[in-house]
Amino acid sequence: MKKYLLVGLFLSISWLDARVLDVKYKVKFGILGELGVSQAHLETNGNRYKISIDAKATGIAKTLSKNRKETHLSEGFIRNGRYYTQRYTVQVEYGEKKREKVYTVDYQKKTVSKISKKYRKGKLISHTESTLDFFGTDDLLTLYFNLPKLLDEKSKPGLYAFRAIGAEQQDGKVEIRLPKPEQVKKYTDTLGKGAYRYLTAIIYQKIFSSNKGELMIAIGKDGITQKAVLKDLVLFGDLTAERIK
């Protein structure tokens, strides 16, 4: 059950000078029903921002995942309406185990350092430090929060490639596909009709036996993701994240 919480990360919003925003999503998985909830929180103050995502398993998933909880925190600065990460932290807890990853971006040296820690029953059992093979100004949170700036209404249909800190298993590669007009019906059939911008995020990870982790997304006029669907997964059907707040 460990991959479904990633769905809660795919949010994108428009930028204002100073604001606090809270958005909540419910995650469902085919015949299994509700698997979890994910809450996003954004704070901006002047040229500084803080974005956090808290996700937790519910129902049968809570038992199967040993009460899995996942927290992502991005902190950094704002320039020309874009978020630039300086520190990205990921914490995952389940049962008696806890994992933590902290990424720190050095803009002068153009490097990203990573510290990984593992705990069992509250005791540190592993500590490693490394430098990523690539440099990036986005992490997995800022990339999706920056989408309205990176891909605006004038962007042409096609495949766009980005890099995100936190996705180093695929060398940071994340792709966004903007559909052609003749492809929009596929999105409306899956995500519903409305005043939405439709796109697909491809994160190149096998999530519940999907080939590449292709997530179809509907973004509302306010720039907030309203619904996201991972289609036709083996045995259980679609994985859906839908805004409830």
Side-chain angles (χ1 to χ4, degrees):
M1 292 294 177
K2 67 181 182 179
K3 292 294 186 183
Y4 83 91
L5 292 174
L6 290 173
V7 173
L9 303 181
F10 295 100
L11 317 173
S12 76
I13 62 172
S14 57
W15 176 83
L16 294 177
D17 182 60
R19 66 186 299 183
V20 174
L21 176 70
D22 288 288
V23 184
K24 189 174 183 180
Y25 292 83
K26 181 180 292 184
V27 181
K28 295 182 179 180
F29 189 11
I31 62 175
L32 294 180
E34 182 180 324
L35 289 185
V37 292
S38 177
Q39 181 138 0
H41 177 78
L42 165 71
E43 294 180 24
T44 65
N45 188 1
N47 69 340
R48 302 296 301 176
Y49 80 85
K50 181 184 292 186
I51 304 168
S52 63
I53 300 283
D54 293 300
K56 62 180 180 180
T58 59
I60 187 173
K62 182 175 181 179
T63 301
L64 295 176
S65 68
K66 299 180 181 179
N67 194 24
R68 184 181 178 91
K69 299 176 183 178
E70 191 165 330
T71 300
H72 295 245
L73 174 63
S74 176
E75 299 174 278
F77 61 91
I78 303 168
R79 182 177 295 167
N80 297 325
R82 277 192 58 183
Y83 302 95
Y84 289 82
T85 184
Q86 290 178 298
R87 183 181 175 91
Y88 177 51
T89 304
V90 180
Q91 292 183 339
V92 179
E93 298 182 53
Y94 54 98
E96 298 176 338
K97 298 180 180 180
K98 177 181 176 181
R99 300 198 312 268
E100 181 181 71
K101 297 179 182 178
V102 180
Y103 303 85
T104 304
V105 183
D106 189 323
Y107 282 84
Q108 290 186 332
K109 296 180 180 179
K110 294 191 180 301
T111 59
V112 181
S113 61
K114 173 185 174 182
I115 297 176
S116 299
K117 297 180 180 180
K118 294 182 180 180
Y119 299 84
R120 186 186 295 272
K121 296 182 179 180
K123 294 183 179 181
L124 180 66
I125 60 173
S126 174
H127 178 121
T128 59
E129 299 184 15
S130 60
T131 300
L132 299 190
D133 293 332
F134 65 92
F135 174 74
T137 63
D138 274 310
D139 55 44
L140 283 170
L141 296 189
T142 61
L143 175 59
Y144 292 96
F145 278 67
N146 279 329
L147 280 180
K149 288 287 182 179
L150 298 171
L151 299 173
D152 60 24
E153 297 287 351
K154 297 180 181 179
S155 297
K156 296 180 180 180
L159 197 63
Y160 295 81
F162 303 95
R163 277 189 165 180
I165 296 164
E168 65 269 20
Q169 288 184 352
Q170 57 266 32
D171 296 323
K173 184 179 181 181
V174 178
E175 292 182 335
I176 303 296
R177 181 187 298 124
L178 298 184
K180 298 177 181 179
E182 61 268 24
Q183 297 172 324
V184 171
K185 186 178 184 302
K186 177 182 177 182
Y187 288 80
T188 57
D189 289 346
T190 300
L191 301 168
K193 294 182 179 180
Y196 301 138
R197 287 189 68 198
Y198 298 104
L199 57 86
T200 295
I202 307 170
I203 60 173
Y204 288 96
Q205 292 186 15
K206 287 190 175 182
I207 303 177
F208 284 115
S209 298
S210 66
N211 289 327
K212 294 186 292 187
E214 295 196 10
L215 191 69
M216 300 176 69
I217 300 174
I219 300 175
K221 280 188 174 181
D222 56 2
I224 301 175
T225 295
Q226 299 300 308
K227 189 174 182 180
V229 173
L230 195 64
K231 287 288 294 179
D232 300 326
L233 304 184
V234 176
L235 297 179
F236 299 110
D238 299 343
L239 181 66
T240 301
E242 191 163 6
R243 185 182 178 190
I244 57 176
K245 176 184 175 184

